[in-house]
Amino acid sequence: MKKGLYLIAVMLLLAGLYRGEEQMVLKKAVTICLECIGIG
Amino acid sequence: MASRKIIQSFSAFVCNIYLPGFANGHIYQGGIKALCLPGLNCYSCPGAIGACPVGALQSALSGTVLRFPFYVMGTFLAFGLLFGRLICGWLCPFGLVQEMLFGLPTRKMQKSHFTARLCSLKYLLGIGLVVLAPVLLYAAQGIGEPAFCEYFCPAGTLEAAVPLLSMNDDLWAAAGWLTVWKFFILSVFLVIMVFVYRPFCRFACPLGAWYGLFNRQAALGIAVDEQRCTHCGQCAAVCRMDVRIAGDPECISCGACRPICPEHAVYFRKLWYGKNMAEVNKN
């Protein structure tokens, strides 16, 4: 069960990296998100 | 535990080590920010060098395109499996803020059945504001919103809105009713933090709710040797969180209960030890 969950975590990460999702996280994280911090 | 305070402070410093940001009111824009930090640390904080996992999840579920966030969910799962709520007790910068305020010398509110019931709130907030709200808003209006960050998260207000507003006149022009609301939420929590131990962590943090699900399976953290445990309840009695027994989903693995246990049944699960860590503790 535990090993299976580790495997799922790795597969999710790899799938995300394959789709370039880390770049989407980066794009959001390097810009001040006004709505995220409640300015508006 | 003095060592825990040192590690908490070190973690908060490292997570927000981009010090120029605090001087010029800009945020760090290096590539390392594609990585999620383990604790609740707003990525719009001027010093933050990583992404907030809750913010990243909210962001992935918001916007004009809705798709399953593989990368963020993999990160969530990996952190949960490795650390569980050890992250809350040892690494989360907002947890440190709460403990510092609770350290102010005032009368404190003790935990009770009421606070234990209130712990369920963080699961509702996690499901409702972090996941369902962005998805339902997407379904209704074609664009999702990061509802938890936008309308509730006091960590974002404290770590990002406060320093950025204090250094950036242009942002003041954009401030409105939402800013007033967010500062109201922050103020309420800051006051409660003085009297109640880790109120955001216990009652409202979706990240803690998620990590708590992995507390019993996590590679690191507090565990109980069931063969030694007599269920005397002394670990729960000494704990400031609303645990029923050490290592349960409310446990942040601070270790305060470990020296209290008369049967030496409470131990730190470590990667390089097997299940017999209780033996090691006793000897």
Side-chain angles (χ1 to χ4, degrees), chain B residues 36-50:
Chain B
C36 291
L37 297 169
L40 200 71
N41 196 104
C42 185
Y43 46 35
S44 289
C45 172
I49 58 162

Side-chain angles (χ1 to χ4, degrees), chain B residues 201-251:
Chain B
C201 196
R202 286 159 71 189
F203 313 132
C205 183
L207 203 52
W210 171 263
Y211 289 151
L213 300 177
F214 299 92
N215 256 4
R216 296 189 199 280
Q217 289 85 31
L220 301 171
I222 283 287
V224 174
D225 186 337
E226 289 293 342
Q227 291 181 334
R228 287 181 182 279
C229 180
T230 59
H231 298 276
C232 66
Q234 292 202 33
C235 54
V238 75
C239 182
R240 285 173 168 162
M241 301 294 283
D242 298 274
V243 303
R244 292 180 178 173
I245 188 170
D248 77 5
E250 297 303 323
C251 175

Side-chain angles (χ1 to χ4, degrees), chain B residues 103-131:
Chain B
L104 294 174
T106 59
R107 292 185 68 176
K108 305 299 179 188
M109 183 184 287
Q110 302 301 314
K111 65 179 182 180
S112 63
H113 291 300
F114 173 69
T115 60
R117 277 198 291 272
L118 216 51
C119 290
S120 305
L121 190 60
K122 61 179 173 289
Y123 296 97
L124 294 176
L125 285 170
I127 295 169
L129 286 182
V130 177
V131 180

Side-chain angles (χ1 to χ4, degrees), chain A residues 2 5-6 8-9 12-13 15-17 19 21-22 24-26 28-40, chain B residues 27 29-30 33-34 43-44 59 67-71 74-75 77 81 146 149-150 160 171 174 176-179 217 219:
Chain A
K2 201 167 159 183
L5 288 172
Y6 276 110
I8 291 172
L12 284 170
L13 280 168
L17 291 170
R19 299 202 322 173
E21 291 179 3
E22 85 286 358
M24 284 187 270
V25 172
L26 177 65
K28 189 74 178 177
V30 298
T31 312
I32 294 176
C33 175
L34 294 184
E35 64 176 1
C36 296
I37 60 176
I39 293 178
Chain B
I27 64 172
Q29 296 183 315
K33 234 174 174 180
Y43 46 35
S44 289
S59 169
R67 48 184 160 187
F68 186 83
F70 289 99
Y71 174 71
T75 305
L77 191 54
L81 287 168
C149 304
E150 187 172 356
L171 287 182
W177 69 268
L178 183 59
T179 315
Q217 289 85 31

